[in-house]
Amino acid sequence: MRVIDSHLHLWDEDVLTYTWLEGPYAHRFAQAELDHDRLTGVNEETAIFVQAETVAEQFLDEVRWVEHHAEALGVVGIVAGARLDRGIDTVTHLGELSAHPLVRGVRHMLQNDDDGLAMSMAFVTGARELAGRGWTFDACIRASQVPDIARLAGAIPELQIVVDHLGKPSVGTADAPTLPSPEWVRDLDELARHPNTFCKLSGLPAEAGGTWSAAQLEPFLDAAADAFGDQRLMWGSDWPVSAIGPAEAGDHDAPEDGSATYQPTARTRWLEVVVAWANARGHDVDAILWGTAERFYGTGAAPEAPERERRGIRGWLRGDR
C-alpha cells in the first residue's frame, strides 16, 4: 500500500515563531518526531507539507526550513502560507514563493476570518493570481464558510481548490456522536458541483477532540464520498494536530492530571479507519491514498516530451513542422 499524506504539519519553535501553540501542541514536531510516527503497513510513504501558521512575516522562512529537510521527511510538495487579500503584497509574496519548486499551492487560513472574505474583490484578485501560476488553494474553513468556497470555485473555475478537513463539520465525540447536519451536507453537495473542487479526508479526529470512533466518523466520510466521488477525495493525517487528545491505553508518559497529550498511534489509526471504510464501500483506495493527491498537487514525474526530428530552416520553409 502506498500513501501520500496530503496534510502533514511540522513545526519547531526554536526555528520559527507561532502564536497559537499551547499545551501539548507547544512541543517540537519535526523530523525526529515524525520518524517515530511513520505509518505502519505502508510500503511507500510521502507527504505534502501544509503550512503550520507561523507569523505571516515568516511564511517564506517556513518554506525554506521545510525544503532543507524535505528529502529526509519524504515531503514532495509544500502548501505555503499566504494572505490572498493583500493586493500588491500578495503578488510580491507569490513571486517570492515561485523561486521554490516544491511549492505547489498556498493556504490562507480563512477559518480565522469573517464569513464572506473569500468573495471579496481583494481575495478573488489574489486567488486569480494563484490560478495564473498553476498553483492550488487549500481552503481551511469552518462549516459556515463552505458556501463561500463554492462561490469562489464558480468565480475562478481554473483554480483547483481542496477543502481541508471536510470543512470542519461538528462531529461530537465517541461518547456523544453528532450526525452530519443537513446544512453541512447540502453545502458540501453544492461545493462538489464544481469540478475544480476536492476534499481532504482529514482533521475529523481533531474536531472530535481526540476522542473518536470509526462508527462516529464514517457518516461524514460517506457524505463526502456521495458529494465528490472517490476520485476527488484524498487522505490526510493532519499530524500532529489530530494526534492530540486523551492519553491512549498503556501510555506510561501520560499526564497525571488526565489532560490532553500526544497519541502515538493516532496517525496510523486514522489511516486504518479510512482504508477499512473505503474497502467496505468499494471505493478506489489507491486514488484516495495516492492518486488524487498526486494529480491535484502535481507531484508525479513529468511525462517526457516526444523527441522531434530536427528539420532545419529549409524544412521549416517547406512547411515540414
Side-chain angles (χ1 to χ4, degrees):
M1 185 168 63
R2 57 180 186 167
V3 176
I4 296 177
D5 185 346
S6 71
H7 205 94
L8 179 77
H9 297 299
L10 303 158
W11 59 74
D12 187 342
E13 289 185 291
D14 290 338
V15 178
L16 299 164
T17 302
Y18 313 80
T19 61
W20 64 278
L21 298 180
E22 59 183 20
Y25 294 106
H27 297 277
R28 184 183 68 182
F29 288 96
Q31 182 179 337
E33 291 73 26
L34 181 62
D35 285 342
H36 282 93
D37 203 2
R38 293 294 183 182
L39 298 168
T40 59
V42 170
N43 53 30
E44 186 174 358
E45 176 186 341
T46 62
I48 304 296
F49 168 79
V50 178
Q51 60 97 211
E53 202 63 1
T54 65
V55 293
E57 296 77 15
Q58 293 184 349
F59 283 162
L60 198 58
D61 294 328
E62 183 181 46
V63 168
R64 296 189 184 105
W65 175 62
V66 174
E67 280 180 330
H68 182 71
H69 300 283
E71 184 174 358
L73 290 163
V75 168
V76 294
I78 293 174
V79 177
R83 297 287 183 264
L84 294 180
D85 60 340
R86 303 293 169 86
I88 190 62
D89 288 343
T90 294
V91 175
T92 299
H93 181 57
L94 296 181
E96 291 172 335
L97 289 175
S98 67
H100 300 271
L102 278 183
V103 173
R104 304 305 173 111
V106 307
R107 183 167 82 158
H108 175 134
M109 286 282 282
L110 284 166
Q111 68 174 14
N112 298 328
D113 295 319
D114 293 336
D115 292 1
L117 177 66
M119 280 311 298
S120 67
M121 182 179 296
F123 191 96
V124 171
T125 299
R128 290 191 191 281
E129 287 283 341
L130 188 63
R133 295 178 182 275
W135 286 346
T136 62
F137 177 59
D138 265 59
C140 189
I141 54 175
R142 304 184 303 274
S144 64
Q145 296 170 309
V146 173
D148 292 344
I149 301 306
R151 296 186 187 99
L152 181 68
I156 315 176
E158 65 273 23
L159 178 63
Q160 299 285 287
I161 301 171
V162 62
V163 174
D164 296 346
H165 317 326
L166 294 83
K168 293 198 167 186
S170 175
V171 300
T173 65
D175 296 330
T178 299
L179 290 174
S181 72
E183 295 79 12
W184 174 75
V185 172
R186 176 201 65 208
D187 292 342
L188 205 67
D189 286 345
E190 183 60 33
L191 173 65
R193 294 182 199 278
H194 300 279
N196 55 322
T197 61
F198 295 72
C199 183
K200 286 187 181 180
L201 303 182
S202 61
L204 296 188
E207 294 305 301
T211 306
W212 55 277
S213 70
Q216 169 203 359
L217 299 182
E218 283 176 352
F220 296 88
L221 302 180
D222 286 335
D226 288 345
F228 290 93
D230 58 9
Q231 299 301 306
R232 287 194 284 154
L233 300 177
M234 61 184 84
W235 180 82
S237 70
D238 189 33
W239 186 89
V241 177
S242 282
I244 301 296
E248 295 176 324
D251 184 356
H252 301 295
D253 298 318
E256 294 182 0
D257 62 2
S259 59
T261 187
Y262 177 67
Q263 299 175 331
T265 72
R267 187 169 182 245
T268 291
R269 280 192 292 122
W270 177 238
L271 174 67
E272 292 172 345
V273 163
V274 172
V275 169
W277 162 81
N279 279 323
R281 302 297 194 270
H283 295 317
D284 186 338
V285 175
D286 188 63
I288 293 170
L289 299 186
W290 185 279
T292 302
E294 182 182 58
R295 175 165 46 96
F296 182 82
Y297 288 113
T299 60
E304 292 185 8
E307 188 172 328
R308 299 181 63 184
E309 181 183 352
R310 295 185 179 182
R311 299 182 181 274
I313 188 64
R314 295 183 185 276
W316 187 87
L317 290 171
R318 290 197 308 266
D320 300 337
R321 303 170 193 173

